[in-house]
Amino acid sequence: MTVLKPTRREILSMAAAAPALTLPVVARAELTAPAAGNPSHFSFTLGEAKLTVVSDGRLEVPANGLGVNADPEAVKAFLSDYFLSTETNYSHTNHIVIELGDATVLVDVGSGSRFLPTAGELMKNLESAGISPASITHVVITHAHPDHIWGVRDDFDEAILPDAAYFLGQVERDFWMQDGLAASMPPDMQQFVVGAVNSINVEGADWTLLSHEQEVAPGVRVIDTPGHTPGHLAVVVESGGQQLIALGDSMNHAYMSFAQPGWYNNFDMDGDQTVTTRKRLLDMAATDRMAVLGYHFPFPGVGHVRKAGDAYQFVPALWQW
């Protein structure tokens, strides 16, 4: 098993240094943010389900963590070919709210105020989308990395959505809660473990532990997608004969994960398993024409999977008004 452990110090130092790492204008055309910001939510329907993608903000981490099992020059060439920085991996954080029947399901709870300063906007953006946090009945966690679970706690270390039912994979919970895990990790990675443990142990969250194909609410189930973390889950929504997979981080790059599915990243805790899972998901989504949502894809991150020779292509969904 290939185990790769990014350090929090590397992430935070990149966040501070990111403005200085922009490629020259001659290398790529870079679009910058407007002064007033951009919309933070996007809604659509799938059968009888109303789905809303809500942003938690963005992450900026070193691009040299991408494709760590490939030739670094090939990775740089790939990024340049897609008009992306070879220094900074700038990614979005796309949460989905599923309104189906009596359930309002939120997938992942974001970074909160404990991770990078560029994220932690989920609660504010839910309100701007017209979704009261109090209306959320179910919270499903795909995995216990900081940008997916650290937002579970408010400033008083209590569950930020105390009236919701909370769901987490059994394998994922058992991994992070095992005795001595933090001590076995490099010093900087220990913070990831402590943060996961504190999030899982948050006061006011009574966790239901999930396994493969278990239903969270009618029309919403989870499937095992291990590799990025040992117990990573994806969430499948099905209504009116249509399906969407909220991928979490099983595919965390909208171009590289499709065109080069055999490449994995330093955040993928088991690289080989990540590749196996990714290829299975790509084939399933392409064959069954399932929509997908990528957590770190360009906002809103919703689209389809197209077979392209021996690889695949992400096809963004067409917005409709």
Side-chain angles (χ1 to χ4, degrees), residues 3-116:
V3 179
L4 303 159
K5 303 181 180 71
T7 70
R8 188 168 185 267
R9 180 177 299 147
E10 288 175 342
I11 295 172
L12 293 174
S13 64
M14 173 54 72
L21 294 173
T22 303
L23 285 181
V25 174
V26 294
R28 60 191 177 97
E30 185 170 12
L31 308 180
T32 55
N38 274 308
S40 59
H41 63 275
F42 167 74
S43 295
F44 59 104
T45 59
L46 184 90
E48 298 300 317
K50 177 185 176 182
L51 305 179
T52 303
V53 179
V54 183
S55 174
D56 189 47
R58 69 185 190 276
L59 303 182
E60 298 178 40
V61 298
N64 62 10
L66 298 171
V68 294
N69 61 325
D71 179 354
E73 293 306 313
V75 175
K76 287 183 178 180
F78 182 95
L79 294 171
S80 294
D81 193 42
Y82 279 82
F83 304 95
L84 298 172
S85 170
T86 60
E87 300 291 339
T88 304
N89 178 24
Y90 183 112
S91 65
H92 295 164
T93 52
N94 306 317
H95 295 257
I96 192 164
V97 177
I98 306 156
E99 298 177 70
L100 182 58
D102 295 329
T104 300
V105 182
L106 171 65
V107 179
D108 290 330
V109 286
S111 298
S113 60
R114 295 176 172 86
F115 194 40
L116 298 184

Side-chain angles (χ1 to χ4, degrees), residues 255-317:
Y255 311 111
M256 193 174 292
S257 294
F258 292 76
Q260 296 289 349
W263 292 2
Y264 52 78
N265 306 328
N266 64 343
F267 291 99
D268 297 322
M269 299 183 74
D270 184 338
D272 294 337
Q273 182 65 65
T274 297
V275 170
T276 298
T277 293
R278 179 181 298 145
K279 290 180 177 180
R280 173 173 58 85
L281 284 173
L282 287 166
D283 180 69
M284 180 173 67
T287 300
D288 295 343
R289 301 184 71 83
M290 302 170 74
V292 296
L293 168 70
Y295 184 74
H296 290 299
F297 292 7
F299 182 84
V302 181
H304 307 277
V305 180
R306 176 180 177 272
K307 192 81 168 68
D310 294 330
Y312 298 84
Q313 180 184 8
F314 176 64
V315 182

Side-chain angles (χ1 to χ4, degrees), residues 168-186:
L168 177 69
Q170 176 80 60
V171 174
E172 187 74 2
R173 186 265 180 201
D174 291 348
F175 171 76
W176 293 103
M177 300 299 289
Q178 60 185 303
D179 291 340
L181 179 63
S184 71
M185 295 286 189

